[in-house]
Amino acid sequence: MKRRKTAGVWEPDADPMFFFAGLTYRANIFSHDPRVPALLAVNDIAQTGSPLKRSNTAWQQVLRSLDAGQPFFLDSGVFNLTNEHMRAHGITMDEALSLAPSEIDNFDWLFDTYVEILREISDQLWGYVEIDQGGMDNKEATRRRLQAAGLEPIPVYHPLNDGWEYFDTLASNYDRMCIGNLVQASPNIRDRIITTVTERLKDYPPTWTHFLGVTPSTVQWAQPMCSADSSSYSYGWRTPDGAKVQAMGNRRWSMPIGFRSELRSESDLPQDEWRKRYKRDAEVQIVDQHMSMMGMADWYEQMRNLGVPNY
């Protein structure tokens, strides 16, 4: 059976990839670095219910990243929209996720904005995710709407809801698929999902599988992934002040000597100096996540491949 091709600039035989998720331009270290795959969602680019402003910083950063050749993965942002609906209506996340798209506040806005964005930049993206709201039937109906608009999103499989028959359907009919249910899963459930999926994929070797919201960990040494993304992994250098406060147990006093600057004091480094000092730390972090993703141990060779200076 011929597999349906998902849209995007990607190579099926490429090495495994890890996408830094979130507004990395805040640190301005690797915002437009072609070595560093990035993921953003619609809610990072546009405000819910409002028209897309092409003059805003996030949109301009997207265009600069694409022009620089940075691998760029776009998420629909439906998870954020469902969270907003949950809070507005006082329901649980499970209840919100089960709702049909027509029952979610601002879903029509999300669909229209997503289509608008994709029609402008889809040919430059590494890929983009379907709008996975409301269970299998609703996901398929929304996917058909996107396909009717001339788009080819990557379908999402939710192991805790969809059943393994649906996994087999997606794995045998599409060249790529995403795996959900991982962001809020407990560590043991997450490991079981990853292990089961990677084992079942052995029956579908051409299928590229992206794990949504998985920070590199030891499980990837045993179960190497095609690709994954995480916002928490880059948190420390996307929002350094927030990371320092969190490390202090949210107490605001001078940092221990091991830290490089005190929080909100006159001795805080200027932004340009901070970027210079922390760029090497972030480069080593990128090497580390590549190691975890690929299950490889040749650190120095990978450093050379990524262009990181040896220490």
Side-chain angles (χ1 to χ4, degrees), residues 80-242:
N80 177 75
L81 194 73
T82 306
N83 267 285
E84 292 179 350
H85 185 93
M86 173 195 71
R87 292 191 294 268
H89 295 272
I91 60 178
T92 67
M93 192 60 181
D94 287 340
E95 290 171 332
L97 290 171
S98 67
L99 295 174
S102 59
E103 299 177 89
I104 296 290
D105 297 342
N106 291 303
F107 185 86
D108 289 340
W109 167 86
L110 178 65
F111 185 92
D112 293 342
T113 302
Y114 201 31
V115 170
E116 177 186 355
I117 292 171
L118 291 174
R119 282 178 171 164
E120 187 162 338
I121 63 173
S122 62
D123 60 339
Q124 296 176 272
L125 296 171
W126 181 84
Y128 49 91
V129 187
E130 71 174 346
I131 308 177
D132 51 314
Q133 172 63 38
M136 285 188 298
D137 292 342
N138 286 308
K139 285 190 293 187
E140 290 182 339
T142 304
R143 192 187 315 144
R144 287 193 294 270
R145 287 182 64 194
L146 291 170
Q147 291 167 344
L151 303 169
E152 293 294 341
I154 302 173
V156 181
Y157 171 70
H158 294 88
L160 301 181
N161 309 101
D162 294 341
W164 291 108
E165 184 177 343
Y166 189 57
F167 174 92
D168 296 333
T169 298
L170 294 179
S172 59
N173 286 282
Y174 286 86
D175 60 354
R176 286 188 288 182
M177 62 189 294
C178 292
I179 308 298
N181 284 144
L182 296 167
V183 173
Q184 296 180 322
S186 62
N188 62 318
I189 295 296
R190 187 183 302 117
D191 290 352
R192 290 176 62 185
I193 290 174
I194 292 172
T195 301
T196 305
V197 166
T198 52
E199 288 298 314
R200 290 183 75 92
L201 279 171
K202 293 177 180 179
D203 293 331
Y204 308 98
T207 305
W208 183 285
T209 307
H210 181 90
F211 291 78
L212 294 165
V214 177
T215 300
S217 66
T218 52
V219 70
Q220 278 118 313
W221 289 95
Q223 305 292 348
M225 302 176 180
C226 297
S227 58
D229 67 84
S230 172
S231 59
S232 61
Y233 196 70
S234 58
Y235 172 71
W237 53 274
R238 283 190 296 113
T239 54
D241 280 347

Side-chain angles (χ1 to χ4, degrees), residues 220-280:
Q220 278 118 313
W221 289 95
Q223 305 292 348
M225 302 176 180
C226 297
S227 58
D229 67 84
S230 172
S231 59
S232 61
Y233 196 70
S234 58
Y235 172 71
W237 53 274
R238 283 190 296 113
T239 54
D241 280 347
K244 287 192 288 185
V245 172
Q246 190 175 52
M248 294 161 55
N250 292 318
R251 296 179 176 86
R252 295 176 179 270
W253 54 57
S254 296
M255 301 298 289
I257 195 170
F259 286 81
R260 297 189 177 177
S261 64
E262 296 180 345
L263 180 64
R264 294 186 176 180
S265 74
E266 293 182 357
S267 64
D268 274 346
L269 296 172
Q271 190 176 33
D272 289 344
E273 181 64 21
W274 181 89
R275 291 172 188 161
K276 185 188 302 182
R277 293 195 186 186
Y278 282 80
K279 183 171 182 178
R280 290 190 103 186

